[in-house]
Coordinates of all heavy atoms in Angstrom, one line a residue:
F338 N 11.8 19.0 33.4 CA 11.8 19.4 31.9 C 10.3 19.7 31.6 O 9.4 19.3 32.3 CB 12.4 18.3 31.1 CG 11.7 16.9 31.2 CD1 10.6 16.6 30.5 CD2 12.3 16.0 32.2 CE1 10.0 15.3 30.7 CE2 11.7 14.8 32.3 CZ 10.6 14.4 31.6
D339 N 10.1 20.3 30.4 CA 8.8 20.6 29.9 C 8.3 19.4 29.1 O 9.0 18.8 28.4 CB 8.8 21.9 29.1 CG 9.0 23.1 29.9 OD1 8.7 23.1 31.1 OD2 9.5 24.1 29.4
Y340 N 7.0 19.2 29.2 CA 6.4 18.0 28.6 C 5.0 18.3 28.2 O 4.2 18.9 29.0 CB 6.5 16.8 29.5 CG 6.0 15.5 28.8 CD1 6.6 14.9 27.8 CD2 4.7 15.0 29.3 CE1 6.1 13.7 27.3 CE2 4.2 13.9 28.7 CZ 4.9 13.2 27.7 OH 4.4 12.1 27.2
R341 N 4.6 17.9 27.0 CA 3.2 18.0 26.6 C 2.6 16.6 26.4 O 3.0 15.9 25.4 CB 3.1 18.8 25.3 CG 1.6 19.1 24.9 CD 1.5 20.0 23.6 NE 2.1 19.3 22.5 CZ 1.4 18.4 21.7 NH1 0.2 18.1 22.0 NH2 2.0 17.9 20.6
P342 N 1.7 16.2 27.2 CA 1.0 14.9 27.0 C 0.3 14.9 25.7 O -0.2 15.9 25.2 CB 0.1 14.8 28.2 CG 0.7 15.7 29.3 CD 1.3 16.8 28.5
T343 N 0.0 13.7 25.2 CA -0.6 13.5 23.9 C -1.9 14.2 23.8 O -2.3 14.8 22.8 CB -0.7 12.0 23.6 OG1 0.5 11.4 23.7 CG2 -1.3 11.8 22.2
K344 N -2.8 14.1 24.9 CA -4.1 14.6 24.8 C -4.2 16.1 25.3 O -5.3 16.6 25.4 CB -5.0 13.8 25.7 CG -5.2 12.4 25.2 CD -6.1 11.6 26.1 CE -6.3 10.1 25.5 NZ -7.2 9.3 26.4
C345 N -3.1 16.8 25.4 CA -3.0 18.1 25.9 C -2.6 19.1 24.8 O -1.7 18.7 23.9 CB -2.1 18.3 27.1 SG -2.7 17.5 28.6
N346 N -3.1 20.3 24.8 CA -2.6 21.3 23.9 C -1.5 22.2 24.5 O -0.9 23.0 23.9 CB -3.7 22.2 23.4 CG -4.7 21.4 22.6 OD1 -4.4 20.5 21.8 ND2 -6.0 21.6 22.8
K347 N -1.4 22.1 25.9 CA -0.4 22.9 26.6 C 0.8 22.1 27.1 O 0.7 20.8 27.2 CB -1.1 23.5 27.8 CG -2.2 24.5 27.5 CD -2.8 25.1 28.8 CE -3.9 26.1 28.5 NZ -4.4 26.8 29.8
T348 N 1.8 22.8 27.3 CA 3.0 22.1 27.9 C 3.1 22.4 29.4 O 2.8 23.5 29.9 CB 4.3 22.7 27.2 OG1 4.3 22.5 25.8 CG2 5.6 22.1 27.8
Y349 N 3.4 21.3 30.1 CA 3.5 21.4 31.6 C 4.8 21.1 32.1 O 5.7 20.6 31.4 CB 2.4 20.5 32.2 CG 1.0 20.9 31.8 CD1 0.3 20.2 30.8 CD2 0.4 21.9 32.4 CE1 -1.0 20.5 30.4 CE2 -0.9 22.3 32.1 CZ -1.6 21.6 31.1 OH -2.8 22.0 30.7
R350 N 5.0 21.3 33.4 CA 6.3 21.1 34.0 C 6.3 19.6 34.5 O 5.4 19.2 35.2 CB 6.4 22.0 35.2 CG 7.7 22.0 36.0 CD 7.6 22.9 37.2 NE 8.9 23.0 37.9 CZ 9.0 23.6 39.1 NH1 7.9 24.2 39.7 NH2 10.2 23.7 39.7

Side-chain angles (χ1 to χ4, degrees):
F338 55 88
D339 288 336
Y340 180 72
R341 184 176 67 82
T343 305
K344 296 181 180 180
C345 294
N346 296 319
K347 295 182 178 182
T348 298
Y349 296 102
R350 185 184 184 190

